[in-house]
Amino acid sequence: MKKLLKIFTSIITLFTTVIMMTGCFSDYDDYDSYITEETSTHDNTSYNDDVLDYTIMIYMCGSSLEWDQEYHDNNKYIPGYTDEEYQYAAKKDLLEILSLSIPDNIKIIVETGGATKWGTSNKYSQPISPTHLQIWEVKNKRLNLVAYENSNDMGYEGALYNFVDYGLKKYPAKQTGLILWDHGAGIGGVCFDDNSRNYLANYEIYNAVKDALEAHNKTKLDWIGYDACLMNVADIASVNAEIANYMIASQESEAGTGWAYDKW
């Protein structure tokens, strides 16, 4: 079960709420200074607005949901369970996505990071790195590396900006959605990176998405989703109403593997 991270006091909660509403602390350069494209594993196709009907961007912070070293070292599993059965929640969701037959007019891109170790699969064009943030395109039921960020911090506001900016630039579509995948703590934020020990505050999500949209002369995403616990909070919904038409989130705790992506 995705864990409730009790890391904040009422003072921090108040501060976060105020900052969310101010929309400050956002200043980014062009994405080219942060992202390097991987040209050896994909065809670098450019898309126009009238080609793609849908682009779905998944910001997947693996964290302890993908690999929990403490559970492994101290054998905290249910008796009889193995690493493969108990860990790798992000990998399981990726494999659900890769099981789908996705039409050519729909693109799914994924950014991975935030875990100290990632599960492997022959459906990945190369192993997922625990030391770099990588951007992948789902194509022909495979995860194909298309770019990586010069950063290893999923909790960095600029990393989310870079990913959304890259998705809007490289995969423009009639409709665009963004999913934030990881632990959630409601007003306390989401995407808790196990490498940097950083996380995304809600005002940082607002700033990053807003700035990326403005860079492409857009006002809103079609929707923003949280595959994370406890993110369906009125304060978060109120702020997200300025950057997305709809918000998809749970008021309750979710299972570790989150949404059923193979049911799309």
Side-chain angles (χ1 to χ4, degrees):
M1 181 178 290
K2 294 189 175 180
K3 298 176 287 188
L4 171 61
L5 304 176
K6 297 180 179 179
I7 62 171
F8 27 83
T9 65
S10 58
I11 294 176
I12 294 176
T13 299
L14 177 61
F15 176 77
T16 302
T17 303
V18 171
I19 295 297
M20 282 173 62
M21 299 306 298
T22 62
C24 59
F25 304 149
S26 56
D27 182 20
Y28 306 110
D29 298 324
D30 186 76
Y31 84 93
D32 287 327
S33 63
Y34 293 100
I35 286 182
T36 303
E37 291 204 273
E38 171 57 58
T39 58
S40 63
T41 58
H42 75 115
D43 59 12
N44 200 27
T45 301
S46 296
Y47 297 92
N48 297 317
D49 288 334
D50 59 350
V51 173
L52 297 176
D53 287 329
Y54 231 121
T55 293
I56 299 173
M57 302 178 286
I58 304 175
Y59 192 75
M60 182 171 278
C61 181
S63 71
S64 60
L65 293 170
E66 179 66 3
W67 181 257
D68 191 322
Q69 191 67 42
E70 180 182 355
Y71 267 74
H72 174 78
D73 291 344
N74 297 309
N75 194 25
K76 291 186 175 181
Y77 306 133
I78 298 171
Y81 274 56
T82 64
D83 281 340
E84 192 65 32
E85 292 170 312
Y86 194 85
Q87 309 240 41
Y88 305 127
K91 172 187 172 181
K92 291 169 184 174
D93 275 355
L94 287 172
L95 293 180
E96 287 181 357
I97 294 169
L98 297 178
S99 72
L100 301 172
S101 296
I102 300 172
D104 291 338
N105 61 343
I106 297 174
K107 284 296 175 185
I108 299 176
I109 61 170
V110 183
E111 177 156 321
T112 55
T116 58
K117 178 180 177 180
W118 285 83
T120 59
S121 171
N122 59 11
K123 293 188 176 184
Y124 303 164
S125 65
Q126 57 184 276
I128 297 177
S129 171
T131 59
H132 288 89
L133 307 187
Q134 296 169 301
I135 299 176
W136 310 79
E137 178 185 334
V138 176
K139 189 173 184 178
N140 299 324
K141 297 193 174 184
R142 288 181 57 80
L143 199 63
N144 299 286
L145 182 65
V146 294
Y148 58 90
E149 290 205 43
N150 301 319
S151 168
N152 188 32
D153 185 359
M154 295 289 277
Y156 169 49
E157 181 180 338
L160 177 60
Y161 168 86
N162 293 335
F163 177 55
V164 176
D165 178 69
Y166 184 83
L168 292 173
K169 181 180 181 69
K170 302 298 290 188
Y171 305 95
K174 297 173 184 175
Q175 297 185 78
T176 304
L178 170 67
I179 298 171
L180 298 161
W181 190 106
D182 188 31
H183 293 296
I187 199 70
V190 70
C191 294
F192 294 80
D193 189 305
D194 270 14
N195 292 306
S196 66
R197 298 297 177 182
N198 196 10
Y199 68 96
L200 286 173
N202 292 297
Y203 77 87
E204 293 177 312
I205 296 168
Y206 170 82
N207 285 339
V209 174
K210 180 175 181 290
D211 285 359
L213 288 168
E214 288 179 350
H216 296 275
N217 297 314
K218 296 181 181 295
T219 56
K220 290 185 179 183
L221 298 170
D222 287 276
W223 51 267
I224 184 170
Y226 294 87
D227 192 355
C229 294
L230 309 171
M231 297 306 294
N232 193 345
V233 177
D235 291 357
I236 297 173
S238 176
V239 173
N240 281 342
E242 298 184 24
I243 57 172
N245 291 324
Y246 299 94
M247 185 179 91
I248 306 165
S250 174
Q251 291 178 305
E252 305 294 337
S253 296
E254 292 188 358
T257 50
W259 297 356
Y261 292 91
D262 55 350
K263 304 301 182 184
W264 283 7

